[in-house]
Amino acid sequence: MAKAPVPGLVKTRLCPPATHAEAAHIAAASLRDTIDAVQGTARARPVLALAGELDSATGAVELRDALRGWTVLGQRGDGFPARLAAAHADTAAAHPGLPVVQIGMDTPQVTPDLLSEACAALDVADAALGMAEDGGWWVVGFRDPAAASLLELVPTSRPDTGARTLAALRTAGLRVASLPQLTDVDTMGDALRVAGSVPDSRFASSLPAGLRR
């Protein structure tokens, strides 16, 4: 799941201190690092559910090159919970018979090993969930993607979104595997902490020089 990194439409909570152009540059770097992690995950069939138009995005040419061979779908649905569930359904339609693991573009520190762990969890569990430090979640997966319809029941962007998601899955009778907690990049403070954990990443290099630690 990702937004096209268009200035003024993405990562606006980084502004200030970042400008809208700088925030879009940071978002593009975060998306590129996430694409690389997915691309490096063994046996994965990568899919991008995209909101917005890449033609207007910062780094559009590089992003299009990075997405060669991917299935790119438009996001659909009324509200973010509905778009999350629809992305699972559309991915399952494009790649029938496979489990679906879903992440966003806000965890550029994610690695192929972490994503492989999420995929492997679905060999023994019905669902897998990794909590985010802010109370949400950064990854969710379903052995049967139809179960992702449960995501429509959970309000997002709340400090208890992760807990509510876990409760919804367990109430539905799903066996849920827990995955490591990560920090979502929402604010500049988040960005600086995440960049410190992956100092050689595109994401870390994308932060304005005056803010880097």
Side-chain angles (χ1 to χ4, degrees):
M1 295 286 287
K3 279 186 180 181
V6 178
L9 299 180
V10 68
K11 288 296 170 201
T12 55
R13 289 177 63 186
L14 301 180
C15 310
T19 65
H20 287 303
E22 288 171 336
H25 180 61
I26 293 167
S30 184
L31 180 52
R32 286 287 307 281
D33 285 343
T34 306
I35 288 170
D36 284 352
V38 173
Q39 196 76 48
T41 302
R43 297 183 295 141
R45 298 189 186 181
V47 177
L48 175 65
L50 181 68
E53 298 294 333
L54 278 184
D55 288 344
S56 303
T58 297
V61 172
E62 292 81 3
L63 284 168
R64 287 195 183 280
D65 285 345
L67 290 167
R68 285 179 182 168
W70 284 52
T71 300
V72 179
L73 308 168
Q75 290 184 23
R76 62 180 179 87
D78 184 12
F80 194 55
R83 294 202 302 274
L84 290 171
H88 278 267
D90 294 345
T91 298
H95 299 283
L98 296 178
V100 176
V101 172
Q102 183 180 69
I103 63 172
M105 59 185 286
D106 296 336
T107 51
Q109 73 274 41
V110 72
T111 64
D113 284 346
L114 279 171
L115 296 178
S116 293
E117 181 179 349
C119 295
L122 297 178
D123 291 335
V124 295
D126 302 310
L129 185 67
M131 299 298 190
E133 193 176 79
D134 63 3
W137 53 263
W138 70 271
V139 60
V140 66
F142 296 94
R143 185 188 299 181
D144 178 1
S149 61
L150 294 166
L151 298 176
E152 293 193 64
L153 306 176
V154 182
T156 53
S157 301
R158 292 171 50 118
D160 61 353
T161 291
R164 283 173 174 254
T165 302
L166 180 59
L169 302 187
R170 287 180 170 167
T171 298
L174 301 184
R175 294 168 298 164
V176 184
S178 295
L179 298 170
Q181 178 177 286
L182 292 185
T183 299
D184 273 342
V185 174
D186 293 318
T187 67
M188 189 57 75
D190 299 332
L192 291 169
R193 278 185 285 125
V194 168
S197 71
V198 283
D200 297 325
S201 64
R202 289 188 189 88
F203 178 77
S205 297
S206 75
L207 299 186
L211 296 175
R212 295 179 201 165
R213 292 175 179 169

